Amino acid sequence: MNLLRALLITHGELGAALLATAEEIIGPREGLAALSNRGLSRDGLVAELRARLAELPAEDALLLLVDAPGASPHVAARLLLAGLTGEERGRVLGPLTGVNLPLLLTFLNRRTTTPPEELLPLLVERGRAGILM
Amino acid sequence: MTKAPHWIVRVDDRLVHGQVCVGWCDVLGIHRLVLGDDVIAACEFERELYACCPADEQSLEFMTLSQLAAALAVPPAETTLAVLSDPASAETLLELGAPLSELLLGGLHHQPGARELANYLFLTSEQAACLRRLSARGVHLVGQPLPDSPRLDVNRLV
């Protein structure tokens, strides 16, 4: 794998705002994109995801990050994965739900040094650790 | 005065999602949801997809349209939101004998050739024709994505 990219699938402009904020904190990074569910049906969002996946460079992989569990971005991500097979399926990771700034920053800082099987549990841990009472 | 428990029937091409569980049911204190769809009722993967959206205090049941038609014939023990994927499912419910006085159109998103009635409501010619048939059978068609949204009189627009 050359680069682990990330696609934030969210309501409204949340994904784009999270990416812009993360880059304000740690600087510009490559391989990041956001997709809003605004105006898209379930099938329309899945079709958009398929189009994004078709543009994925052959040597790269893609992590899907979504906002709320069970909401339409999560459903669409799972439907996308269910339709993938073989090598293509192996290049898509996630989806992880509840994406927040600590999770995203950890992803950006660790994606090149931490193997995916360790990175995903770390992201979940950091995302949860970002919520305190 | 508290309204007696009743059915709310909503058409939404995203089915059970955030706007339904958080924006509608949580706001109105509705704890029972029904997803009426023959394909989803028969598919474990699809059922599991939607099962993780409702909050802990909300229940989600999966019914075929035939099962839902029978359920709609009886007043529910608690106010219940039934979700359908398209107007054709509502027409099927009527043909199966379900009483349906009002249909909420909560979300039909853009697709090629669809006409925009509101930013959450786009109708293909087939969907518009279906809604006209429902209107002719006395169904009140209301465009309303959220409880606080203006109620759009769709009977006049199709």
Side-chain angles (χ1 to χ4, degrees), chain B residues 51-105:
Chain B
C52 65
C53 192
D56 288 346
E57 69 273 18
Q58 297 169 343
S59 69
L60 172 61
E61 299 167 45
F62 299 93
M63 294 186 185
T64 63
L65 292 177
S66 177
Q67 289 168 329
L68 179 55
L72 288 170
V74 181
E78 60 182 307
T79 295
T80 303
L81 179 68
V83 183
L84 310 170
S85 64
D86 53 26
S89 295
E91 190 170 33
T92 300
L93 289 176
L94 276 184
E95 288 162 1
L96 289 166
L100 191 61
S101 58
E102 181 175 284
L103 184 65
L104 285 183
L105 302 166

Side-chain angles (χ1 to χ4, degrees), chain A residues 34-98:
Chain A
L35 172 62
S36 171
N37 72 346
R38 183 176 290 138
L40 294 173
S41 67
R42 160 185 144 144
D43 293 344
L45 188 53
V46 174
E48 187 63 35
L49 284 173
R50 290 205 178 98
R52 298 292 185 102
L53 187 57
E55 297 169 355
L56 183 67
E59 299 303 316
D60 292 353
L62 181 67
L63 173 63
L64 302 178
L65 299 170
V66 304
D67 47 13
S72 60
H74 188 209
V75 168
R78 295 193 61 195
L79 285 167
L80 171 79
L81 288 170
L84 301 180
T85 57
E87 187 265 345
E88 195 176 39
R89 175 65 186 86
R91 295 167 61 213
V92 183
L93 306 178
L96 295 186
T97 67

Side-chain angles (χ1 to χ4, degrees), chain B residues 6 8 21-31 79 104 146-148:
Chain B
H6 58 284
I8 301 169
C21 294
V22 182
W24 197 284
C25 290
D26 197 37
V27 168
L28 297 183
I30 295 172
H31 294 155
T79 295
L104 285 183
L146 291 165
D148 291 340

Side-chain angles (χ1 to χ4, degrees), chain B residues 87 115 123-134 157-158:
Chain B
R115 180 166 68 101
L123 299 179
T124 63
S125 56
E126 292 81 7
Q127 288 169 330
C130 180
L131 290 176
R132 283 194 293 273
R133 292 192 296 274
L134 291 173
L157 300 174
V158 291

